[in-house]
Amino acid sequence: MITYIIRRLIAAVGLLFVVSAITFSIFYLVPRLAGATPETLATRYVGRTATAETVKLTAQNLGFYDPIVVQYGHWAKGIFVGESYNMGTEIEHCPAPCLGYSFITRQPVWPDLLDRAPVTLSLAAGASILWLIGGVSIGVLSALRRGSLFDRAAMTMALAGVSMPIFWTGLMSLTYLSYKLGWFKGGGSYVPITQNPLEWAQSLLLPWITLAFLFSAQYARLTRAGMLETMNEDYIRTARAKGLKENVVVVRHGLRAALTPILTIFGLDLGLLLGGAILTEKVFSLNGLGKYAVTGISDQDMPKIMGVTLLAAFFIVISNLVVDMLYAVVDPRVRLQ
């Protein structure tokens, strides 16, 4: 088991390196291949009204004339030891871990990410618990009551949840459940958990439910299909023939075998959500990583976009690493590979 975890950790580090190199190339190499010059990149730091001499000096100070490999080396070094940016009139120091320096705010990207990460983490954590418990439970009950009224109603709701986009369900839930009925707090009412845990949960309850409705529909359908296949296996009939209780047969033998695909998709969904739930944060006016990425895109602020991209990649890699470890718990055969 320890060897398996170490092997996966080494693979995760290598994958993060590859992702960082590809991401850096997209934002700094591809524009050059498309015809952008170092001066074009420098104008995003000094503005379009700057003189040609100022733009050229800024491009030189920021190393835009260096080969792309050298630029990547400086950027990667900044993650571990920090980086200093010569802006011409002054030198700005970006402490480690430095993920770049914003064109617009003239501030390091990493503190901005740390400031917005709790919002996205809170949103992802609460919604993932709801959709995992709700989706798996509904899927199991539907499989055990195949063809019943509950099964048909649950699968109809699941189909509706998969079909309706989050921006539509989010707006509808805000309109009717928050503004008209007053059951939940409206958008933009986020309260940090360190300030008041109860108000924190209340402020995120409606986004949690909206996101959980979307994801739990997919999990219910997947769990139902897996349980229907598993419950017809020979070892399930053997377990029943031995006189085991039905709940033991369903949970310990049936559900456990059907959890492998659930864990796979859960790791991907959670990792993507931790990188920023763009539509959900936009609809509910949550100042998280997704909204930060949208701002960076609209401002053409490459360091912001790159920072969110790398942080999202980190969350996805870590989520999949945790899922790989859980495979060994759910399926002992993984430990032998």
Side-chain angles (χ1 to χ4, degrees):
M1 183 65 178
I2 296 178
T3 304
Y4 174 77
I5 294 175
I6 293 176
R7 188 167 65 247
R8 296 304 302 167
L9 284 172
I10 295 175
V13 173
L15 182 59
L16 284 174
F17 170 76
V18 173
V19 169
S20 67
I22 293 176
T23 305
F24 188 87
S25 299
I26 290 174
F27 288 105
Y28 288 93
L29 178 60
V30 173
R32 286 193 175 187
L33 297 178
T37 62
E39 290 81 4
T40 304
L41 299 176
T43 54
R44 298 178 179 177
Y45 280 94
V46 297
R48 299 185 181 276
T49 59
T51 62
E53 183 179 356
T54 302
V55 172
K56 186 175 181 179
L57 182 61
T58 301
Q60 183 177 357
N61 291 335
L62 294 177
F64 289 156
Y65 290 106
D66 296 333
I68 192 67
V69 177
V70 176
Q71 293 185 47
Y72 175 75
H74 287 302
W75 178 82
K77 184 188 72 173
I79 298 179
F80 300 99
V81 299
E83 184 64 42
S84 295
Y85 291 89
N86 190 339
M87 308 303 294
T89 57
E90 57 183 0
I91 297 178
E92 300 286 351
H93 180 68
C94 178
C98 179
L99 293 179
Y101 209 79
S102 171
F103 295 154
I104 306 300
T105 64
R106 307 291 293 270
Q107 297 294 327
V109 172
W110 178 247
D112 289 340
L113 295 179
L114 288 182
D115 184 55
R116 289 159 175 78
V119 180
T120 301
L121 292 174
S122 300
L123 178 64
S128 62
I129 293 174
L130 289 180
W131 86 57
L132 186 62
I133 295 176
V136 172
S137 301
I138 292 174
V140 171
L141 292 176
S142 295
L144 297 178
R145 302 178 183 180
R146 182 180 183 182
S148 65
L149 180 61
F150 175 84
D151 180 31
R152 295 176 182 177
M155 290 302 101
T156 300
M157 290 295 295
L159 181 61
V162 172
S163 304
M164 291 186 292
I166 186 65
F167 61 83
W168 187 83
T169 55
L171 289 175
M172 291 299 102
S173 61
L174 272 176
T175 301
Y176 291 101
L177 300 181
S178 178
Y179 300 144
K180 288 190 175 182
L181 299 177
W183 292 353
F184 301 95
K185 288 188 175 182
S189 58
Y190 174 77
V191 177
I193 189 173
T194 54
Q195 180 176 332
N196 191 315
L198 181 59
E199 292 186 6
W200 166 79
Q202 291 177 345
S203 65
L204 290 172
L205 187 56
L206 188 57
W208 285 346
I209 295 175
T210 305
L211 262 181
F213 176 68
L214 172 66
F215 283 92
S216 61
Q218 184 178 4
Y219 281 71
R221 292 168 63 89
L222 185 62
T223 304
R224 180 181 182 273
M227 286 295 294
L228 288 176
E229 181 181 356
T230 303
M231 296 305 289
N232 291 324
E233 296 289 343
D234 292 337
Y235 68 88
I236 296 295
R237 288 192 288 269
T238 302
R240 284 172 173 161
K242 288 181 178 180
L244 295 178
K245 295 181 179 180
E246 185 64 17
N247 61 340
V248 176
V249 174
V250 172
V251 176
R252 184 176 299 177
H253 297 280
L255 180 59
R256 185 176 182 181
L259 277 180
T260 302
I262 301 296
L263 287 177
T264 302
I265 193 173
F266 180 74
L268 292 173
D269 289 339
L270 182 60
L272 289 172
L273 198 60
L274 288 173
I278 295 177
L279 293 178
T280 306
E281 293 178 6
K282 188 71 175 178
V283 170
F284 290 96
S285 301
L286 297 173
N287 195 20
L289 295 174
K291 190 175 180 180
Y292 184 72
V294 171
T295 304
I297 293 172
S298 61
D299 294 338
Q300 296 185 356
D301 199 344
M302 288 193 300
K304 283 185 179 181
I305 306 171
M306 193 169 173
V308 174
T309 303
L310 288 175
L311 189 61
F314 172 78
F315 283 134
I316 292 174
V317 169
I318 295 301
S319 298
N320 282 275
L321 178 62
V322 173
V323 167
D324 289 341
M325 295 178 183
L326 291 177
Y327 281 157
V329 177
V330 175
D331 190 351
R333 293 173 297 180
V334 177
R335 305 172 193 173
L336 303 177
Q337 298 178 359

